[in-house]
Amino acid sequence: MHEDDTPHRRRRGPLALLPGLLLGLLLAGCSALERQHESLLVLGDLAAGEEPSRLKQRVTLPDREGLTYAVEGRRYVADLYHPPSPRRGTLVLVHGLTDAGRRDPRLMAFARTQARAGFTVLVPELDGLRDFSVGMREVEGIADAVRHATATLPMAGEGPALAAISFATGPALLAAMEPDIAQRVRFVIAVGGYYDLTDLLRYATTGEDRGGAGLRALPPQADLRWAMLQSQLHALEDAEDRQRLAAVARRRLAGDEGPAPELAGLGPEGKALHALVVNRDPARVASLLAALPSSLRDEFEALDLASRDLDALKARLVLVHGPDDRVIPISHSRRLRDALPAGQARLFEAGGLGHVEVSSRWRDAWTLWRAIHHVLRLGEGEGRQR
Protein backbone atom coordinates (compact mmCIF):
# COMPACT_ATOMS: atom_id res chain seq x y z
CA MET A 1 0.00 0.00 0.00
CA HIS A 2 1.06 3.59 -0.41
CA GLU A 3 2.04 5.71 2.54
CA ASP A 4 -0.87 8.12 2.61
CA ASP A 5 -0.49 10.82 5.20
CA THR A 6 -3.41 13.16 4.75
CA PRO A 7 -5.50 13.73 7.91
CA HIS A 8 -7.81 10.84 8.71
CA ARG A 9 -10.80 11.23 11.00
CA ARG A 10 -12.86 8.41 12.43
CA ARG A 11 -16.62 8.52 12.62
CA ARG A 12 -16.75 8.34 16.39
CA GLY A 13 -16.40 11.69 18.11
CA PRO A 14 -15.07 12.64 21.53
CA LEU A 15 -18.52 12.61 23.10
CA ALA A 16 -17.36 10.89 26.25
CA LEU A 17 -14.97 13.76 26.94
CA LEU A 18 -17.42 16.59 26.32
CA PRO A 19 -18.30 17.19 29.99
CA GLY A 20 -14.65 17.61 30.92
CA LEU A 21 -13.97 19.90 28.00
CA LEU A 22 -17.01 22.04 28.74
CA LEU A 23 -15.90 22.35 32.35
CA GLY A 24 -12.50 23.48 31.09
CA LEU A 25 -14.20 26.17 29.00
CA LEU A 26 -16.03 27.52 32.01
CA LEU A 27 -12.91 27.56 34.15
CA ALA A 28 -10.94 29.39 31.47
CA GLY A 29 -13.06 32.52 31.82
CA CYS A 30 -15.85 34.15 29.85
CA SER A 31 -13.87 36.60 27.69
CA ALA A 32 -12.77 33.98 25.17
CA LEU A 33 -15.69 31.60 25.69
CA GLU A 34 -17.00 31.98 22.14
CA ARG A 35 -13.70 30.96 20.57
CA GLN A 36 -13.30 28.13 23.06
CA HIS A 37 -16.73 26.79 22.19
CA GLU A 38 -15.97 27.10 18.49
CA SER A 39 -12.78 25.12 19.02
CA LEU A 40 -14.86 22.32 20.53
CA LEU A 41 -17.17 22.39 17.50
CA VAL A 42 -14.18 22.21 15.16
CA LEU A 43 -12.81 19.27 17.14
CA GLY A 44 -16.11 17.46 16.79
CA ASP A 45 -16.24 18.16 13.07
CA LEU A 46 -12.74 16.78 12.56
CA ALA A 47 -13.81 13.65 14.40
CA ALA A 48 -16.95 13.31 12.30
CA GLY A 49 -15.28 13.59 8.90
CA GLU A 50 -18.13 13.47 6.39
CA GLU A 51 -20.66 12.44 9.05
CA PRO A 52 -23.01 14.95 10.77
CA SER A 53 -21.63 17.25 13.46
CA ARG A 54 -22.75 20.25 15.43
CA LEU A 55 -20.51 22.52 13.36
CA LYS A 56 -22.12 21.24 10.14
CA GLN A 57 -25.53 21.97 11.62
CA ARG A 58 -24.52 25.55 12.41
CA VAL A 59 -22.43 26.46 9.37
CA THR A 60 -23.42 25.87 5.75
CA LEU A 61 -21.27 23.78 3.40
CA PRO A 62 -18.35 25.88 2.09
CA ASP A 63 -18.20 26.37 -1.68
CA ARG A 64 -15.28 24.67 -3.42
CA GLU A 65 -13.89 26.28 -6.57
CA GLY A 66 -11.36 24.62 -8.86
CA LEU A 67 -8.92 27.11 -10.26
CA THR A 68 -5.70 27.53 -12.21
CA TYR A 69 -3.09 30.23 -11.65
CA ALA A 70 0.40 31.10 -12.81
CA VAL A 71 3.39 32.64 -11.06
CA GLU A 72 6.22 33.80 -13.32
CA GLY A 73 5.07 31.40 -16.02
CA ARG A 74 4.74 28.39 -13.70
CA ARG A 75 1.21 27.05 -13.90
CA TYR A 76 -0.72 25.33 -11.12
CA VAL A 77 -4.12 23.86 -10.36
CA ALA A 78 -5.73 24.16 -6.96
CA ASP A 79 -8.99 24.03 -5.03
CA LEU A 80 -10.25 27.08 -3.19
CA TYR A 81 -12.72 26.68 -0.32
CA HIS A 82 -14.81 29.77 0.35
CA PRO A 83 -15.96 30.09 3.99
CA PRO A 84 -19.53 31.18 4.68
CA SER A 85 -18.00 33.80 7.00
CA PRO A 86 -14.43 34.80 5.99
CA ARG A 87 -12.93 36.08 9.22
CA ARG A 88 -9.60 34.34 9.71
CA GLY A 89 -7.73 35.06 6.51
CA THR A 90 -6.27 32.57 4.06
CA LEU A 91 -4.82 29.15 4.85
CA VAL A 92 -2.62 27.44 2.23
CA LEU A 93 -3.12 23.73 2.93
CA VAL A 94 -0.40 21.39 1.60
CA HIS A 95 -1.41 17.76 1.21
CA GLY A 96 0.87 14.94 2.26
CA LEU A 97 1.98 11.88 0.29
CA THR A 98 -1.19 10.75 -1.43
CA ASP A 99 -1.83 9.80 -5.04
CA ALA A 100 -5.22 11.53 -4.80
CA GLY A 101 -3.53 14.88 -4.18
CA ARG A 102 -5.82 17.78 -3.35
CA ARG A 103 -8.89 15.60 -3.96
CA ASP A 104 -8.11 13.06 -1.27
CA PRO A 105 -11.50 12.74 0.51
CA ARG A 106 -9.95 13.08 3.96
CA LEU A 107 -8.02 16.17 2.98
CA MET A 108 -11.17 17.67 1.49
CA ALA A 109 -13.02 17.07 4.75
CA PHE A 110 -10.16 18.73 6.63
CA ALA A 111 -10.26 21.74 4.29
CA ARG A 112 -14.02 22.10 4.68
CA THR A 113 -13.68 22.08 8.46
CA GLN A 114 -11.12 24.90 8.27
CA ALA A 115 -13.42 26.84 5.96
CA ARG A 116 -16.32 26.39 8.37
CA ALA A 117 -14.02 27.89 11.01
CA GLY A 118 -13.61 31.03 8.88
CA PHE A 119 -10.46 30.37 6.83
CA THR A 120 -10.35 30.80 3.08
CA VAL A 121 -8.50 27.58 2.20
CA LEU A 122 -6.27 27.23 -0.86
CA VAL A 123 -5.16 23.64 -1.62
CA PRO A 124 -2.56 23.54 -4.42
CA GLU A 125 -1.85 20.35 -6.34
CA LEU A 126 1.81 19.33 -5.91
CA ASP A 127 2.96 16.60 -8.26
CA GLY A 128 5.86 15.40 -6.13
CA LEU A 129 3.57 14.71 -3.21
CA ARG A 130 1.21 12.79 -5.48
CA ASP A 131 3.79 10.53 -7.11
CA PHE A 132 6.19 10.21 -4.14
CA SER A 133 8.96 12.27 -5.75
CA VAL A 134 9.21 15.09 -3.24
CA GLY A 135 11.91 17.62 -4.07
CA MET A 136 12.75 21.29 -4.28
CA ARG A 137 10.07 21.84 -6.92
CA GLU A 138 7.53 21.34 -4.12
CA VAL A 139 9.24 24.13 -2.17
CA GLU A 140 8.81 26.39 -5.19
CA GLY A 141 5.20 25.28 -5.65
CA ILE A 142 4.30 26.06 -2.03
CA ALA A 143 6.05 29.42 -2.20
CA ASP A 144 4.13 30.21 -5.40
CA ALA A 145 0.86 29.32 -3.67
CA VAL A 146 1.70 31.82 -0.93
CA ARG A 147 2.57 34.43 -3.56
CA HIS A 148 -0.72 33.84 -5.35
CA ALA A 149 -2.72 33.90 -2.10
CA THR A 150 -1.08 37.12 -0.97
CA ALA A 151 -1.88 38.84 -4.24
CA THR A 152 -5.44 37.66 -4.81
CA LEU A 153 -7.20 36.24 -1.75
CA PRO A 154 -8.99 37.80 1.26
CA MET A 155 -7.01 39.62 3.95
CA ALA A 156 -3.94 39.68 1.71
CA GLY A 157 -2.52 42.50 3.77
CA GLU A 158 -2.40 40.22 6.79
CA GLY A 159 -0.67 37.47 4.85
CA PRO A 160 -1.71 33.81 4.57
CA ALA A 161 -0.98 30.96 6.94
CA LEU A 162 0.44 27.56 5.91
CA ALA A 163 -0.59 24.07 7.00
CA ALA A 164 1.53 21.04 6.05
CA ILE A 165 0.95 17.34 6.53
CA SER A 166 3.81 14.95 7.43
CA PHE A 167 6.50 14.86 4.72
CA ALA A 168 5.22 18.19 3.36
CA THR A 169 6.52 19.90 6.52
CA GLY A 170 10.08 20.35 5.24
CA PRO A 171 9.10 21.85 1.86
CA ALA A 172 6.52 24.10 3.55
CA LEU A 173 9.03 25.50 6.06
CA LEU A 174 11.65 26.00 3.37
CA ALA A 175 9.05 27.85 1.30
CA ALA A 176 8.14 30.00 4.29
CA MET A 177 11.80 31.07 4.51
CA GLU A 178 12.00 32.30 0.92
CA PRO A 179 13.21 35.94 1.14
CA ASP A 180 10.26 37.49 -0.68
CA ILE A 181 7.58 35.71 1.39
CA ALA A 182 9.19 35.19 4.81
CA GLN A 183 7.44 38.31 6.13
CA ARG A 184 4.12 37.36 4.55
CA VAL A 185 3.43 34.00 6.21
CA ARG A 186 1.59 34.57 9.48
CA PHE A 187 2.03 31.11 10.97
CA VAL A 188 2.72 27.52 9.93
CA ILE A 189 0.91 24.40 11.16
CA ALA A 190 2.88 21.16 10.88
CA VAL A 191 1.13 17.85 11.63
CA GLY A 192 3.42 14.85 12.17
CA GLY A 193 6.37 16.56 10.48
CA TYR A 194 10.07 15.74 10.22
CA TYR A 195 13.25 17.58 11.18
CA ASP A 196 16.33 15.39 10.54
CA LEU A 197 16.14 13.25 7.39
CA THR A 198 19.17 11.13 8.27
CA ASP A 199 17.65 10.20 11.61
CA LEU A 200 14.30 9.59 9.93
CA LEU A 201 15.88 7.24 7.42
CA ARG A 202 17.75 5.44 10.21
CA TYR A 203 14.48 4.97 12.09
CA ALA A 204 12.59 3.77 9.01
CA THR A 205 15.19 1.14 8.15
CA THR A 206 16.62 0.07 11.52
CA GLY A 207 14.10 1.21 14.15
CA GLU A 208 16.64 3.38 16.00
CA ASP A 209 15.43 6.89 16.83
CA ARG A 210 18.75 8.59 17.50
CA GLY A 211 17.06 11.94 18.16
CA GLY A 212 14.89 10.48 20.90
CA ALA A 213 17.32 11.34 23.72
CA GLY A 214 17.75 7.71 24.71
CA LEU A 215 14.03 6.97 24.84
CA ARG A 216 12.96 3.70 23.23
CA ALA A 217 10.90 4.30 20.10
CA LEU A 218 8.04 2.14 18.92
CA PRO A 219 8.99 -0.03 15.92
CA PRO A 220 8.46 1.74 12.59
CA GLN A 221 5.51 0.99 10.37
CA ALA A 222 6.34 -2.19 8.47
CA ASP A 223 6.14 -0.74 4.95
CA LEU A 224 7.85 2.56 5.76
CA ARG A 225 11.22 1.67 4.20
CA TRP A 226 9.54 0.96 0.86
CA ALA A 227 7.51 4.16 0.92
CA MET A 228 10.75 6.06 1.50
CA LEU A 229 12.36 4.19 -1.39
CA GLN A 230 9.54 5.38 -3.64
CA SER A 231 10.10 8.97 -2.54
CA GLN A 232 13.76 8.90 -3.65
CA LEU A 233 13.54 7.14 -7.01
CA HIS A 234 13.05 10.34 -9.01
CA ALA A 235 16.59 11.47 -8.10
CA LEU A 236 18.23 8.44 -9.75
CA GLU A 237 19.67 9.29 -13.15
CA ASP A 238 19.49 5.70 -14.44
CA ALA A 239 15.96 5.21 -15.84
CA GLU A 240 16.23 1.41 -15.76
CA ASP A 241 17.21 1.47 -12.10
CA ARG A 242 14.20 3.68 -11.38
CA GLN A 243 11.86 1.25 -13.11
CA ARG A 244 13.33 -1.83 -11.45
CA LEU A 245 13.25 -0.39 -7.94
CA ALA A 246 9.76 1.00 -8.47
CA ALA A 247 8.57 -2.51 -9.31
CA VAL A 248 10.24 -3.90 -6.18
CA ALA A 249 8.71 -1.18 -4.00
CA ARG A 250 5.22 -1.80 -5.40
CA ARG A 251 5.56 -5.53 -4.72
CA ARG A 252 6.79 -5.00 -1.14
CA LEU A 253 4.11 -2.40 -0.39
CA ALA A 254 1.53 -4.91 -1.59
CA GLY A 255 2.85 -7.40 0.98
CA ASP A 256 4.77 -9.64 -1.42
CA GLU A 257 8.02 -10.68 0.27
CA GLY A 258 8.99 -13.18 -2.42
CA PRO A 259 11.94 -13.04 -4.84
CA ALA A 260 12.53 -9.81 -6.75
CA PRO A 261 14.17 -10.69 -10.08
CA GLU A 262 14.51 -7.00 -10.92
CA LEU A 263 17.33 -6.68 -8.39
CA ALA A 264 19.65 -8.80 -10.51
CA GLY A 265 19.77 -6.14 -13.22
CA LEU A 266 20.41 -3.10 -11.02
CA GLY A 267 23.22 -0.73 -11.91
CA PRO A 268 25.55 0.94 -9.37
CA GLU A 269 23.08 3.73 -8.50
CA GLY A 270 20.20 1.36 -7.90
CA LYS A 271 22.34 -1.02 -5.86
CA ALA A 272 23.48 1.81 -3.59
CA LEU A 273 19.93 2.98 -2.92
CA HIS A 274 18.61 -0.54 -2.41
CA ALA A 275 21.43 -1.34 0.03
CA LEU A 276 20.46 1.68 2.10
CA VAL A 277 16.78 0.78 2.15
CA VAL A 278 17.22 -2.86 3.20
CA ASN A 279 19.95 -2.13 5.77
CA ARG A 280 19.07 -2.88 9.39
CA ASP A 281 22.32 -1.81 11.08
CA PRO A 282 22.14 1.75 12.51
CA ALA A 283 25.94 2.09 12.40
CA ARG A 284 26.01 1.65 8.62
CA VAL A 285 23.50 4.37 7.71
CA ALA A 286 26.03 7.21 7.37
CA SER A 287 28.36 5.24 5.09
CA LEU A 288 25.47 3.97 2.96
CA LEU A 289 24.19 7.53 2.57
CA ALA A 290 27.66 8.66 1.50
CA ALA A 291 27.67 5.95 -1.19
CA LEU A 292 24.52 7.28 -2.88
CA PRO A 293 24.82 9.07 -6.22
CA SER A 294 25.37 12.81 -5.86
CA SER A 295 22.03 13.64 -7.48
CA LEU A 296 20.21 11.81 -4.70
CA ARG A 297 22.43 13.12 -1.91
CA ASP A 298 21.95 16.71 -3.08
CA GLU A 299 18.15 16.38 -3.13
CA PHE A 300 18.18 14.68 0.26
CA GLU A 301 20.35 17.37 1.85
CA ALA A 302 18.31 20.19 0.32
CA LEU A 303 15.17 19.03 2.15
CA ASP A 304 16.90 18.31 5.48
CA LEU A 305 15.84 20.88 8.08
CA ALA A 306 18.48 19.79 10.61
CA SER A 307 21.25 21.03 8.31
CA ARG A 308 19.53 24.34 7.56
CA ASP A 309 19.83 27.70 9.25
CA LEU A 310 16.26 28.35 10.39
CA ASP A 311 16.83 32.01 11.29
CA ALA A 312 15.01 33.04 8.12
CA LEU A 313 11.75 31.58 9.44
CA LYS A 314 9.75 34.53 10.74
CA ALA A 315 6.36 32.87 11.14
CA ARG A 316 5.11 31.27 14.30
CA LEU A 317 5.10 27.47 14.17
CA VAL A 318 2.34 25.23 15.52
CA LEU A 319 3.49 21.61 15.82
CA VAL A 320 1.00 18.81 16.38
CA HIS A 321 2.46 15.32 16.82
CA GLY A 322 1.39 11.98 18.26
CA PRO A 323 3.72 10.44 20.89
CA ASP A 324 3.13 6.98 19.37
CA ASP A 325 3.87 8.01 15.77
CA ARG A 326 5.41 5.03 13.92
CA VAL A 327 6.18 6.93 10.71
CA ILE A 328 7.94 10.05 12.02
CA PRO A 329 8.83 9.88 15.73
CA ILE A 330 7.75 12.78 17.90
CA SER A 331 11.42 13.54 18.60
CA HIS A 332 11.48 15.37 15.25
CA SER A 333 8.87 17.93 16.32
CA ARG A 334 10.57 18.31 19.70
CA ARG A 335 13.92 19.02 18.06
CA LEU A 336 12.36 21.38 15.53
CA ARG A 337 10.76 23.34 18.35
CA ASP A 338 14.06 23.50 20.20
CA ALA A 339 15.94 24.65 17.09
CA LEU A 340 13.92 27.88 16.98
CA PRO A 341 14.03 30.84 19.36
CA ALA A 342 12.08 30.32 22.58
CA GLY A 343 8.40 31.01 22.05
CA GLN A 344 8.39 30.91 18.24
CA ALA A 345 7.23 27.28 18.06
CA ARG A 346 4.61 25.58 20.21
CA LEU A 347 4.30 21.80 20.31
CA PHE A 348 1.08 19.95 21.10
CA GLU A 349 1.83 16.31 21.92
CA ALA A 350 -1.55 14.82 21.12
CA GLY A 351 -2.01 11.23 22.23
CA GLY A 352 -5.13 11.08 20.06
CA LEU A 353 -2.92 10.94 16.97
CA GLY A 354 -1.10 8.02 15.43
CA HIS A 355 0.86 9.53 12.55
CA VAL A 356 -1.68 12.00 11.23
CA GLU A 357 -4.73 9.79 11.70
CA VAL A 358 -6.99 10.49 14.66
CA SER A 359 -7.62 7.66 17.10
CA SER A 360 -11.18 6.45 17.43
CA ARG A 361 -10.75 6.58 21.22
CA TRP A 362 -9.81 10.26 21.26
CA ARG A 363 -7.83 9.61 24.42
CA ASP A 364 -6.16 13.02 24.28
CA ALA A 365 -8.94 15.24 22.99
CA TRP A 366 -7.97 17.97 25.45
CA THR A 367 -4.59 18.52 23.78
CA LEU A 368 -6.15 18.50 20.31
CA TRP A 369 -8.72 21.04 21.50
CA ARG A 370 -5.92 23.27 22.80
CA ALA A 371 -4.12 23.04 19.45
CA ILE A 372 -7.29 24.01 17.56
CA HIS A 373 -7.93 26.89 19.93
CA HIS A 374 -4.37 28.13 19.41
CA VAL A 375 -4.76 28.01 15.62
CA LEU A 376 -8.10 29.84 15.69
CA ARG A 377 -6.55 32.49 17.91
CA LEU A 378 -3.63 32.96 15.52
CA GLY A 379 -6.09 33.13 12.64
CA GLU A 380 -7.68 36.14 14.30
CA GLY A 381 -4.31 37.88 14.36
CA GLU A 382 -3.58 37.49 18.07
CA GLY A 383 -0.07 36.78 19.23
CA ARG A 384 1.41 37.53 15.82
CA GLN A 385 5.21 37.49 15.71
CA ARG A 386 7.21 39.88 13.53
Side-chain angles (χ1 to χ4, degrees):
M1 70 180 206
H2 281 173
E3 172 57 24
D4 187 343
D5 49 37
T6 48
H8 181 55
R9 268 85 45 199
R10 308 285 182 155
R11 292 184 178 181
R12 294 175 57 192
L15 298 179
L17 296 178
L18 283 177
L21 289 172
L22 290 172
L23 177 61
L25 298 183
L26 295 174
L27 294 176
C30 296
S31 62
L33 188 59
E34 182 177 350
R35 188 197 303 125
Q36 294 163 347
H37 181 243
E38 185 179 11
S39 302
L40 182 58
L41 295 178
V42 169
L43 176 64
D45 198 48
L46 290 173
E50 296 294 342
E51 299 299 314
S53 73
R54 294 185 182 182
L55 185 63
K56 291 185 181 71
Q57 293 173 1
R58 294 185 176 212
V59 183
T60 59
L61 180 68
D63 292 330
R64 176 173 60 83
E65 173 191 3
L67 55 83
T68 61
Y69 60 93
V71 178
E72 297 181 357
R74 298 180 291 273
R75 299 190 63 81
Y76 301 94
V77 297
D79 283 339
L80 184 64
Y81 294 79
H82 296 277
S85 176
R87 51 202 168 85
R88 288 195 166 98
T90 297
L91 178 68
V92 177
L93 174 59
V94 185
H95 60 79
L97 294 176
T98 169
D99 52 17
R102 74 190 195 281
R103 295 290 172 86
D104 184 290
R106 296 161 295 178
L107 186 80
M108 294 172 69
F110 184 78
R112 284 192 286 267
T113 297
Q114 303 310 311
R116 287 188 177 97
F119 289 101
T120 298
V121 184
L122 177 68
V123 187
E125 190 80 85
L126 297 169
D127 292 340
L129 289 166
R130 286 194 64 176
D131 63 14
F132 291 64
S133 62
V134 185
M136 291 303 292
R137 63 175 174 166
E138 277 60 59
V139 176
E140 182 178 64
I142 297 168
D144 281 346
V146 172
R147 294 177 182 114
H148 172 72
T150 303
T152 64
L153 297 180
M155 298 176 67
E158 289 294 318
L162 264 174
I165 309 300
S166 187
F167 286 96
T169 294
L173 289 176
L174 294 173
M177 292 191 287
E178 289 287 309
D180 67 309
I181 67 172
Q183 296 290 342
R184 304 183 193 184
V185 179
R186 290 194 290 158
F187 58 93
V188 180
I189 308 164
V191 181
Y194 73 83
Y195 173 66
D196 188 318
L197 281 179
T198 299
D199 280 352
L200 178 56
L201 184 59
R202 183 182 293 107
Y203 171 73
T205 56
T206 73
E208 179 180 292
D209 179 22
R210 190 161 292 184
L215 299 177
R216 183 177 178 83
L218 292 173
Q221 188 171 298
D223 57 2
L224 182 56
R225 69 178 68 238
W226 302 110
M228 294 198 72
L229 172 64
Q230 280 190 323
S231 72
Q232 300 302 313
L233 291 179
H234 69 286
L236 291 180
E237 296 179 356
D238 189 319
E240 289 191 9
D241 278 0
R242 289 199 301 270
Q243 294 172 1
R244 290 176 181 276
L245 286 176
V248 173
R250 285 193 298 270
R251 183 179 294 114
R252 298 302 186 235
L253 287 167
D256 182 355
E257 297 298 329
E262 298 88 351
L263 296 177
L266 285 178
E269 287 189 352
K271 287 181 179 178
L273 180 55
H274 183 260
L276 175 65
V277 170
V278 299
N279 169 61
R280 296 180 183 275
D281 181 359
R284 296 188 63 210
V285 171
S287 61
L288 290 170
L289 273 172
L292 293 176
S294 59
S295 58
L296 207 158
R297 288 201 314 272
D298 291 346
E299 193 84 2
F300 187 86
E301 292 170 1
L303 294 174
D304 183 27
L305 297 177
S307 62
R308 291 289 192 123
D309 182 355
L310 301 181
D311 287 347
L313 183 66
K314 305 303 179 185
R316 286 190 177 274
L317 181 56
V318 183
L319 300 162
V320 185
H321 214 127
D324 297 333
D325 194 329
R326 296 178 58 205
V327 175
I328 302 177
I330 195 171
S331 60
H332 286 261
S333 283
R334 291 170 178 165
R335 292 171 66 193
L336 180 53
R337 174 199 59 196
D338 295 342
L340 295 170
Q344 184 174 356
R346 186 168 178 184
L347 171 59
F348 295 89
E349 301 191 9
L353 292 178
H355 177 40
V356 293
E357 68 281 359
V358 176
S359 166
S360 60
R361 292 179 296 171
W362 281 79
R363 57 190 171 87
D364 198 19
W366 174 253
T367 300
L368 290 169
W369 175 84
R370 289 173 53 237
I372 292 167
H373 181 267
H374 186 59
V375 167
L376 297 186
R377 179 172 173 265
L378 291 176
E380 295 165 13
E382 294 189 30
R384 188 176 177 186
Q385 176 170 308
R386 278 292 179 263

